[in-house]
């Protein structure tokens, strides 16, 4: 058994069961610090790792926002949870042809995993980039554009379970030396109709993060783009899941060794941003978002100077990113702008 789980089990045996959010936060932090998450040798593959087209189009989305902001002469470009740094590298390369845009940029990455930060530094060698452990460390003094791909799904959620006529907080406890889900004795007031066994999820960490970004956008002006998997409307259901070696695995058994995520409740985060006075156009499906930004044309352009094997790869990537049965519908793009006159593309 991994040292992480042994230590966690001992702690829970001594101090009692912990909320799902605490479990998820600790397990993810351990995972991203110690494992190889991305790529064919890793546990899962994300859109920027599937194709350079993804980061390139997100880069152009940012240029479009910059133009709509009136081409400010200073702009913070911020990415949260940048993984290997691939998306930022593709964004910066694709926008290099526009020196007026590049010259305005100060690039900031928000990352909690030291080992991924090292990888990001290698990927982004030659670019002037600053790293931060949290949003609050960025000295914001100008409009900004913030991007997060599969970042929000890694922020912890809490779960509540309906049992004997009331909602109870779901906890991770220990039984027979193994991690198990339990529920707290206390009843919790949740304004949601429930039936026996129902699970609902709330993510105070995500909601607070988006509310903070929205408040900062109102102060400095700019936009944010979150691409992630999740649902349009808040709904009942347990979406906590773990992936290892590209296969779903048990969340508790592989704690610390597998990537743990939960669906993003886009309705909830859109509401947080609107409450701060930001403009939030309807969420777009990833496929429609990328099509609107011109992914088909980009694939055609890349194919013109590619050999047969490369053309095949480009076509496969296009389908993976956009097709409804692949990432095209489950993944969604949510844009937030500081002002309703700034109309983001693709949503
Ligand atoms: N955007 C990348 C990586 C997604 S995985 C891609 O699409 O490939 C999630 C990323 O978020 C990892 O880099 C992880 O270390 C980071 N992360 C997780 N929790 C975080 C937090 N609270 N603050 C900043 N980064 C975090």
């Amino acid at each position: 058994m991994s040292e992480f789980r042994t230590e966690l089990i001992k702690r829970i045996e001594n101090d009692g069961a912990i909320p799902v959010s605490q479990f998820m936060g600790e397990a993810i932090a351990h995972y991203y610090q110690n494992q190889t998450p991305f790529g064919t040798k890793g546990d899962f593959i994300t859109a920027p790792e599937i194709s350079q087209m993804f980061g390139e189009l997100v880069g152009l989305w940012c240029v479009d926002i910059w133009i709509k902001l009136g081409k400010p002469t200073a702009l913070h470009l911020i990415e949260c949870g940048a993984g290997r740094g691939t998306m930022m590298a593709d964004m910066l390369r694709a926008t290099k042809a526009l020196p007026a845009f590049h010259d305005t940029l100060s690039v900031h990455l928000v990352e909690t995993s030291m080992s991924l930060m090292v990888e990001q530094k290698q990927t982004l060698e030659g670019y002037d980039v600053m790293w931060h452990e949290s949003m609050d460390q960025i000295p914001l003094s100008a409009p900004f554009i913030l991007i997060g791909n599969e970042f929000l799904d890694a922020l912890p959620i809490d779960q509540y379970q309906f049992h004997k006529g009331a909602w109870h907080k779901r906890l991770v406890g220990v039984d027979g030396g193994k991690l198990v889900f339990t529920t707290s004795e206390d009843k919790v007031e949740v304004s949601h109709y429930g039936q026996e066994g129902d699970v609902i999820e709330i993510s105070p960490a995500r909601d607070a993060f988006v509310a903070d970004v929205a408040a900062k956008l109102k102060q400095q002006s700019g936009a944010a783009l979150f691409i992630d998997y999740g649902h349009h409307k808040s709904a009942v259901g347990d979406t906590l899941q773990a992936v290892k070696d590209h296969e779903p695995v048990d969340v508790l058994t592989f704690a610390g060794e597998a990537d743990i995520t939960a669906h993003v409740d886009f309705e909830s985060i859109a509401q947080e941003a609107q409450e701060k006075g930001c403009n939030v156009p309807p969420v777009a499906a990833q496929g429609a978002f990328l099509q609107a930004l011109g992914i088909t044309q980009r694939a055609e352009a890349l194919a013109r100077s590619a050999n047969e094997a490369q053309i095949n790869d480009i076509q496969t990537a296009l389908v993976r990113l956009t097709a409804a049965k692949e990432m095209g519908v489950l993944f969604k793009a949510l844009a937030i702008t500081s002002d309703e006159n700034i109309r983001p593309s693709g949503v």
Side-chain angles (χ1 to χ4, degrees):
M1 194 185 302
S2 80
E3 213 172 289
F4 170 76
R5 275 199 308 284
T6 311
E7 189 277 327
L8 182 63
I9 288 169
K10 215 183 282 167
R11 182 149 46 91
I12 291 175
E13 278 174 342
N14 284 337
D15 306 341
I18 58 173
V20 168
S21 55
Q22 189 182 335
F23 164 77
M24 187 176 170
E26 289 185 21
I28 285 181
H30 183 85
Y31 172 75
Y32 279 110
Q33 192 55 40
N34 296 287
Q35 306 287 325
T36 311
F38 311 102
T40 41
K41 287 205 195 81
D43 295 313
F44 60 98
I45 189 156
T46 56
E49 303 295 335
I50 290 174
S51 167
Q52 67 184 75
M53 296 188 286
F54 187 82
E56 290 171 347
L57 292 173
V58 172
L60 296 186
W61 186 91
C62 294
V63 171
D64 180 63
I65 292 284
W66 173 68
I67 293 169
K68 287 168 177 167
L69 283 167
K71 300 187 183 174
T73 51
L75 181 78
H76 302 298
L77 181 60
I78 305 167
E79 184 182 355
C80 294
R84 284 172 158 171
T86 308
M87 180 164 84
M88 184 54 83
D90 291 335
M91 288 168 67
L92 293 174
R93 191 191 60 254
T95 55
K96 231 179 189 167
L98 272 167
F101 173 71
H102 254 234
D103 292 349
T104 65
L105 293 183
S106 66
V107 181
H108 301 267
L109 296 191
V110 179
E111 178 57 61
T112 41
S113 158
M114 288 303 124
S115 53
L116 286 177
M117 190 183 81
V118 169
E119 210 166 325
Q120 292 161 11
K121 282 194 170 157
Q122 286 163 1
T123 311
L124 292 163
E125 214 186 324
Y127 289 110
D128 200 1
V129 179
M130 280 164 273
W131 273 266
H132 313 271
E133 274 178 49
S134 76
M135 262 306 277
D136 282 332
Q137 292 176 356
I138 306 178
L140 288 174
S141 55
F144 69 93
I145 300 177
L146 182 142
I147 311 288
N149 185 63
E150 291 210 45
F151 166 67
L152 293 178
D153 69 17
L155 297 187
I157 58 156
D158 268 316
Q159 293 187 320
Y160 295 88
Q161 190 155 30
F162 201 79
H163 181 53
K164 291 190 178 160
W167 290 104
H168 300 266
K169 198 166 195 165
R170 224 171 167 214
L171 306 172
V172 174
V174 173
D175 190 17
K178 279 191 180 153
L179 294 172
V180 291
F181 284 110
T182 65
T183 46
S184 121
E185 295 281 315
D186 311 337
K187 293 176 187 175
V188 187
E189 280 304 316
V190 177
S191 55
H192 208 294
Y193 171 76
Q195 288 183 332
E196 183 65 26
D198 277 357
V199 172
I200 57 165
E201 298 177 339
I202 295 171
S203 177
R206 268 179 214 156
D207 289 350
F209 177 82
V210 173
D212 179 50
V213 168
K216 290 182 160 82
L217 280 174
K218 280 313 274 186
Q219 280 168 11
Q220 305 288 349
S221 83
L225 177 67
F226 295 107
I227 304 176
D228 227 305
Y229 77 126
H231 36 268
H232 288 281
K233 293 252 162 228
S234 309
V236 168
D238 173 5
T239 74
L240 196 65
Q241 55 191 274
V243 171
K244 186 170 163 52
D245 299 330
H246 301 269
E247 297 290 342
V249 293
D250 184 70
V251 170
L252 299 180
T253 312
F254 291 90
E257 285 171 61
D259 184 40
I260 301 181
T261 58
H263 279 210
V264 172
D265 178 348
F266 283 100
E267 184 182 1
S268 175
I269 57 170
Q271 213 171 335
E272 293 291 335
Q274 278 159 345
E275 277 169 17
K276 297 289 181 212
C278 283
N279 170 51
V280 187
V283 175
Q286 175 173 295
F289 175 74
L290 294 174
Q291 292 292 359
L293 296 180
I295 194 167
T296 303
Q297 291 81 349
R298 182 63 189 136
E300 284 165 7
L302 284 173
R304 280 199 281 279
S305 52
N307 63 32
E308 208 170 308
Q310 289 168 329
I311 292 174
N312 238 330
D313 288 348
I314 295 165
Q315 190 52 34
T316 307
L318 178 64
V319 170
R320 274 189 87 172
L321 292 173
T322 60
K325 63 177 183 0
E326 304 264 352
M327 298 172 80
V329 171
L330 177 61
F331 281 75
K332 298 173 177 68
L334 178 94
I336 300 171
T337 63
S338 52
D339 190 293
E340 60 183 1
N341 297 325
I342 307 161
R343 291 176 188 264
S345 296
V347 290

